[in-house]
Amino acid sequence: MAAKDQPNKLPPGVDMLDMPAGIDKDRFEEVLKIKEQANDKYRAGDYFSAKCLYSGCLEMLERCCLHLDRADEVWEGVKNNMALCDLKRQEWGKAVETTTEILARNPKNTKALYRRGVARIGQSKLRDAREDLEVVVEIEPENIDARQKLVEVLRQLKADRAADKNQADKMRGFLRGERLEDTVAISEDGGVRKLHGNENAPLFASWIKREWLQPKSGFAGVVTAHIILRTTDGKEVFNTRKPPGALSQQFVGPAAATQPKPAERPAEPARWVVDDSTASVFSAWNAAAKTLQLHELGQFEVTRYTMGPSVEPAVQRCLTKWMLDNVASQEMYKDVPESVKSSAFRKQALQILGLPEEFCAEEEKEPNGTLKMEMELLEADEYMDLDGEGRQLIRIFREGKKKSPDVPAVDDYSTVAVHFRISKLLLNYALKDTRTKEPVEFVVGEEAAAGEGDFVPPCIGECLMLPPGGAVEGMHFEVVLRDGVPVRYMDKHMYNAYADGKYTGLPDTTGPVSIKIEVEKVVSATAGPSHASWQAVEHLVAERKRADELETLDEGRHRQMALKRFHRVVVWLEQVLDRRKWKLQHGGASDSMYDLEWEDEKKTESSNANSKFQFDAHPRVSSGPSDKIEPELFEPDDELLKQLQPEELCEWARAHSGCARILGVTPGKQDLSRKHARCAVQACTLGQIPADVEISCRSTLAERLSDVGKSAEALEVLKVAQALDPKRIDLKDQAAILTQKDNDIKSVSTREALISLKKDVNDSLEANDVAGLQMLMAEIDGLPLTWDVASETAIGKEVGKCAKHADEGVSTTAKGIISKLHKLAKAERPMWVR
């Protein structure tokens, strides 16, 4: 490694012990230690971690130690090292910014001058780079690295001047709109022509691979290029080297007040998939890119029908798929003329596809007109096709840690820290970018449940599981999603609005996007009792607490995430119970499976075969139970549940109660909610469960029983909950509702019974069936009579006849019923009837 590419060591004369007394000395020692750690990271090639450590070191230095004598030297050294990290990561702009800060304090810092010169070479600012390198050579004539770089820059500047002169001669007629004699058709119909300076140069670039142009080959190519388009009279109409809106007409005076402000986005090169079969990129761009070598600047003449008209099929597909004519959309455009509505829909489609409106907003009026195009090919990269249809592409820039059993890969519920950038595929502007901040930490599968400032698009978690085997720490990769992701993923407020049913009249897609991810940390989620890291109650409690948090977060929007967590707790405990069934099979004589006396390994196989109980010291658990995510054990025996420890039984009750609550408000899941609630109530009868848990599960079970018409049973379940907390108003209200339902059910059944009995009594009176009358009177006497039911069925008439019957047994029972009816009438009959 060259001397200029080495991180700075301690300044001459600086010793950790030669510091002022007190806290300044301690802090300065810490600064030097962190700086040395950063140097180690740099030497190991981990430039991102090195820069993070340098930044932390710099922050401590600026806060506490700048007043010390040698602080300036250390500050310049740390800043120089940060610039070196930026150079290694080809972050040219950041390197220029950092070195400029150093030179503002010390204009003769040769390291900063040299590194700024190298960064400016990376930015293609050769004249600025020459100035920096000339100053370095002037200060340090013996600096070989600077002299070599200066020679390279001067040689390149000379070549550029010659090329510019040659190109200017060739382009004089080109810019006046004349067709050049040395243009070559590069498309079949001649709609795209390239200015060829060398007749022997290949028509198609060497970087193109055959499989990129073949469907379902498993690979695809993605190119990055700067593009400038001009009219035949030289007016620029499109330029990726300038920020969006820079070419729009700028009004002055009163008209400026109503002029829309251009988007505040930096200039970005265009990016697209080579030979796009979906026609979502201009055919002129595709054809031109295939003829360019990397970093070549080519000049082209393109016919207008190779621009906007070539992507019209993609625009129409987008209009059909995403511009929905639903109720919300009709309400939004109800008073808008059809022409304005169509124009708005088309503009939305162009925004989704990322197509420039300059060429696609309206029908092309001059399809055979020509434009002058300049294209510089910056990158051409190969991507792996994940789905075989070219809809999901991936490229891994850096593999990260070598995969092994000890290196965790991203999976559901992994905790990760990442940098990411989501950008539109064609025009390449960022929708969301965290690379200038600290890594974002979140739980995979629960991205949307993060806080306001930590919201992570759920598509980031999905992308982390796309690399074969899952992403690992240190991996850098990019995913191209040709179908895009839901636009609600971009912002927490928008995500919540869509969840609440708003914006249903707008298309919910970003259109094709590119997602770059740098993985800084991966921590595996708890995998259950079958794994060595299992910590029993500690993991159960942590998982259940996370479920409780998710259930109430954001007004309950994340209940389904909470349900999955509750399911995991239940499934883990089902696995624990499955492993403890042996206690019941052998009378439960031992409290622990490890209390068994292990058989000597030297015993013969025949003795093992004769043993009634054999236990594998290292049981192999099939992948099925560990991968299972839905509970299955809804009717466990009491004796089996007693095998759980008290803390485990409590978590069993809490998890089942949580499942019951969430499923109870999920359409079509009431029956499953009832099963979970019964499991929780069963646990409450077997152990000491917290009162709030028992009240919750009993209240839920009572509600579910009421749904299926079992009000009486529901009341019995709820009475226990009321006894635990007699002052709970919500339990009293629930009990009152259940009581009313139970009375209604009883009234209906009593009414139907009395109607049937009334007919039987008349038949028995006509036949003078004394035994039948005695039985019927006893049955009526046993019914839960009310005044409303008795008056509606008019049963008193038949009972009155029986009260006059000659048989004493019949008449006595009938008189007792009449007495009961009189009491009901007095207690329940309305005053106006009396």
Side-chain angles (χ1 to χ4, degrees):
M1 191 178 293
K4 291 293 180 183
D5 291 339
Q6 289 286 354
N8 294 287
K9 300 183 181 300
L10 297 180
V14 176
D15 189 276
M16 286 189 178
L17 300 178
D18 187 22
M19 295 290 114
I23 189 170
D24 294 343
K25 174 183 176 181
D26 297 337
R27 293 298 171 86
F28 200 81
E29 286 179 351
E30 187 67 23
V31 166
L32 298 178
K33 287 179 181 178
I34 297 174
K35 183 172 182 285
E36 192 57 38
Q37 292 173 5
N39 292 344
D40 293 339
K41 289 288 186 181
Y42 177 88
R43 296 186 191 100
D46 189 355
Y47 306 121
F48 180 83
S49 299
K51 185 177 178 183
C52 290
L53 287 169
Y54 284 133
S55 298
C57 165
L58 186 69
E59 183 178 358
M60 184 179 295
L61 180 67
E62 290 177 340
R63 284 186 178 180
C64 310
C65 310
L66 281 183
H67 62 284
L68 301 180
D69 293 338
R70 300 182 179 92
D72 286 343
E73 295 180 52
V74 177
W75 184 90
E76 289 183 19
V78 172
K79 275 286 188 180
N80 260 319
N81 291 351
M82 292 173 67
L84 184 57
C85 292
D86 290 331
L87 290 178
K88 291 296 184 181
R89 288 165 55 83
Q90 295 186 0
E91 298 280 357
W92 313 122
K94 293 181 181 178
V96 169
E97 181 180 341
T98 302
T99 50
T100 301
E101 289 182 31
I102 300 171
L103 295 169
R105 289 193 179 193
N106 183 5
K108 294 186 178 182
N109 189 308
T110 54
K111 279 191 176 182
L113 283 165
Y114 176 81
R115 289 171 185 172
R116 188 170 72 175
V118 173
R120 284 174 167 174
I121 292 174
Q123 292 179 318
S124 299
K125 298 179 179 179
L126 298 181
R127 290 182 176 81
D128 293 337
R130 181 186 64 185
E131 293 177 4
D132 286 336
L133 293 171
E134 285 176 344
V135 174
V136 176
V137 172
E138 182 181 346
I139 298 174
E140 297 180 356
E142 73 286 354
N143 192 321
I144 298 176
D145 293 334
R147 295 177 72 88
Q148 288 178 345
K149 283 290 181 184
L150 181 58
V151 169
E152 292 176 9
V153 170
L154 293 174
R155 185 184 298 119
Q156 185 61 44
L157 284 170
K158 182 177 179 181
D160 288 349
R161 283 194 297 271
D164 289 344
K165 183 178 181 302
N166 185 43
Q167 188 71 8
D169 293 339
K170 291 184 177 182
M171 288 299 294
R172 286 192 184 97
F174 185 71
L175 293 177
R176 288 196 298 268
E178 301 173 2
R179 182 177 294 278
L180 299 175
E181 295 180 357
D182 56 350
T183 58
V184 177
I186 59 175
S187 61
E188 293 183 4
D189 58 2
V192 184
R193 302 179 65 85
K194 180 180 181 182
L195 171 62
H196 249 279
N198 183 359
E199 295 179 356
N200 298 321
L203 189 58
F204 291 99
S206 59
W207 51 264
I208 296 180
K209 296 184 179 181
R210 183 181 299 272
E211 53 265 31
W212 293 2
L213 309 180
Q214 296 175 345
K216 299 185 178 180
S217 65
F219 296 93
V222 176
V223 297
T224 305
H226 270 304
I227 301 168
I228 301 174
L229 283 153
R230 299 182 178 92
T231 61
T232 54
D233 59 1
K235 179 184 178 182
E236 280 190 7
V237 292
F238 182 80
N239 191 343
T240 61
R241 297 183 185 275
K242 296 180 180 179
L247 300 180
S248 301
Q249 181 181 359
Q250 301 299 314
F251 296 98
V252 294
T258 59
Q259 180 184 9
K261 294 183 179 179
E264 295 181 359
R265 299 196 299 263
E268 297 283 359
R271 299 185 75 222
W272 68 92
V273 180
V274 179
D275 205 50
D276 190 344
S277 58
T278 61
S280 57
V281 64
F282 303 126
S283 62
W285 290 12
N286 248 336
K290 293 177 191 176
T291 69
L292 295 175
Q293 298 298 332
L294 288 178
H295 306 294
E296 179 186 354
L297 180 64
Q299 305 290 343
F300 301 86
E301 183 181 77
V302 300
T303 310
R304 285 183 177 272
Y305 66 75
T306 63
M307 296 296 293
S310 68
V311 296
E312 188 60 25
V315 176
Q316 293 302 320
R317 285 196 302 271
C318 184
L319 287 169
T320 302
K321 182 176 181 180
W322 292 109
M323 302 301 115
L324 304 177
D325 191 20
N326 54 23
V327 176
S329 177
Q330 292 171 2
E331 179 66 22
M332 186 182 302
Y333 293 98
K334 64 179 180 180
D335 298 326
V336 177
E338 189 63 30
S339 60
V340 176
K341 176 181 175 182
S342 299
S343 177
F345 278 3
R346 187 174 183 85
K347 188 172 182 178
Q348 289 181 34
L350 297 180
Q351 291 174 347
I352 290 172
L353 297 174
L355 292 168
E357 295 182 23
E358 294 90 336
F359 309 107
C360 308
E362 298 178 355
E363 182 180 355
E364 181 58 63
K365 298 178 181 179
E366 299 180 3
N368 294 319
T370 57
L371 293 170
K372 307 303 179 182
M373 181 171 73
E374 177 184 292
M375 179 182 290
E376 180 185 6
L377 184 62
L378 304 178
E379 295 177 4
D381 302 306
E382 183 174 76
Y383 286 66
M384 183 170 63
D385 185 356
L386 293 176
D387 64 350
E389 299 294 335
R391 315 312 303 170
Q392 294 181 348
L393 309 177
I394 187 170
R395 180 185 177 218
I396 299 176
F397 304 104
R398 178 178 172 187
E399 294 287 347
K401 289 187 176 180
K402 186 176 181 180
K403 293 184 179 179
S404 69
D406 298 328
V407 176
V410 174
D411 202 349
D412 277 333
Y413 305 110
S414 296
T415 300
V416 298
V418 303
H419 286 287
F420 64 87
R421 180 182 190 263
I422 305 176
S423 58
K424 294 288 287 185
L425 180 58
L426 192 59
L427 297 185
N428 201 24
Y429 59 84
L431 300 176
K432 201 169 185 67
D433 192 348
T434 68
R435 295 180 303 171
T436 59
K437 306 174 184 177
E438 291 296 317
V440 180
E441 186 169 316
F442 62 95
V443 177
V444 175
E446 297 177 355
E447 299 86 357
E452 181 64 36
D454 304 321
F455 181 79
V456 177
C459 58
I460 299 300
E462 296 167 4
C463 288
L464 284 168
M465 291 189 282
L466 288 180
V472 296
E473 188 174 317
M475 179 177 285
H476 296 184
F477 65 98
E478 179 183 13
V479 176
V480 174
L481 301 175
R482 308 278 290 284
D483 291 328
V485 297
V487 74
R488 64 179 181 272
Y489 283 5
M490 296 300 106
D491 178 78
K492 186 176 181 66
H493 292 295
M494 191 176 294
Y495 185 90
N496 291 341
Y498 271 96
D500 294 339
K502 300 177 182 177
Y503 302 150
T504 54
L506 298 176
D508 185 20
T509 181
T510 59
V513 292
S514 159
I515 302 177
K516 292 183 178 179
I517 300 178
E518 299 177 359
V519 185
E520 302 300 325
K521 182 181 75 172
V522 178
V523 179
S524 295
T526 305
S530 60
H531 289 251
S533 61
W534 174 249
Q535 296 182 19
V537 175
E538 181 179 341
H539 282 167
L540 291 169
V541 171
E543 191 77 7
R544 190 261 309 160
K545 285 185 175 180
R546 176 59 177 166
D548 288 338
E549 178 185 357
L550 289 169
E551 185 181 4
T552 57
L553 192 66
D554 288 341
E555 300 176 350
R557 288 188 175 92
H558 310 298
R559 288 194 185 99
Q560 293 307 311
M561 296 180 189
L563 180 62
K564 290 181 180 180
R565 292 276 188 174
F566 282 131
H567 277 173
R568 279 162 60 88
V569 174
V570 174
V571 168
W572 289 346
L573 286 169
E574 287 180 359
Q575 293 176 17
V576 170
L577 288 173
D578 187 60
R579 289 166 174 241
R580 294 179 184 173
K581 286 181 179 178
W582 62 273
K583 291 186 178 182
L584 300 180
Q585 296 170 356
H586 296 275
S590 175
D591 290 335
S592 172
M593 63 191 294
Y594 301 106
D595 292 342
L596 293 174
E597 293 184 4
W598 298 92
E599 296 185 6
D600 193 323
E601 293 180 357
K602 297 181 179 179
K603 288 187 178 181
T604 62
E605 293 182 3
S606 60
S607 64
N608 287 336
N610 294 330
S611 174
K612 293 183 180 180
F613 174 69
Q614 300 178 16
F615 182 79
D616 185 2
H618 302 285
R620 291 173 295 179
V621 180
S622 65
S623 60
S626 61
D627 295 339
K628 184 180 66 172
I629 59 172
E630 295 288 344
E632 297 176 353
L633 188 62
F634 287 111
E635 296 181 1
D637 294 334
D638 288 352
E639 292 302 318
L640 179 60
L641 275 187
K642 289 179 181 178
Q643 305 311 312
L644 294 175
Q645 299 298 322
E647 297 90 347
E648 295 172 338
L649 186 64
C650 182
E651 294 307 317
W652 171 274
R654 287 182 182 274
H656 273 294
S657 180
C659 291
R661 286 193 306 271
I662 297 172
L663 291 169
V665 295
T666 304
K669 299 293 184 180
Q670 280 67 31
D671 185 59
L672 196 56
S673 170
R674 186 172 68 254
K675 291 180 179 180
H676 280 288
R678 281 196 184 279
C679 287
V681 170
Q682 180 187 13
C684 294
T685 63
L686 299 177
Q688 295 295 322
I689 307 299
D692 62 318
V693 179
E694 184 167 1
I695 290 172
S696 174
C697 65
R698 286 185 175 276
S699 175
T700 303
L701 179 58
E703 191 172 350
R704 299 286 79 78
L705 289 171
S706 174
D707 292 341
V708 294
K710 298 181 179 180
S711 300
E713 184 182 354
L715 278 170
E716 292 301 319
V717 171
L718 195 62
K719 283 180 182 178
V720 180
Q722 286 185 291
L724 293 172
D725 191 352
K727 297 182 179 180
R728 283 274 293 266
I729 302 299
D730 58 329
L731 294 180
K732 292 180 179 179
D733 293 341
Q734 187 178 5
I737 294 172
L738 287 175
T739 301
Q740 181 62 42
K741 285 187 176 180
D742 187 48
N743 290 338
D744 292 343
I745 292 173
K746 288 179 178 178
S747 296
V748 171
S749 58
T750 302
R751 184 182 298 107
E752 293 173 351
L754 287 178
I755 292 172
S756 176
L757 290 171
K758 183 176 179 180
K759 182 178 181 301
D760 293 340
V761 170
N762 283 324
D763 293 343
S764 297
L765 285 172
E766 290 180 5
N768 198 23
D769 181 4
V770 176
L773 288 172
Q774 289 179 345
M775 183 181 65
L776 291 170
M777 290 299 104
E779 189 172 350
I780 293 173
D781 191 34
L783 290 174
L785 297 175
T786 64
W787 170 251
D788 290 337
V789 173
S791 60
E792 184 178 342
T793 58
I795 191 66
K797 181 178 179 181
E798 282 69 21
V799 175
K801 292 179 182 179
C802 292
K804 299 176 182 179
H805 198 277
D807 183 78
E808 185 177 355
V810 173
S811 62
T812 301
T813 306
K815 290 176 181 178
I817 295 173
I818 291 174
S819 176
K820 185 185 295 186
L821 291 175
H822 286 165
K823 291 179 181 179
L824 288 173
K826 186 176 181 180
E828 300 181 13
R829 186 170 56 174
M831 289 295 296
W832 62 270
V833 176
R834 299 178 197 176

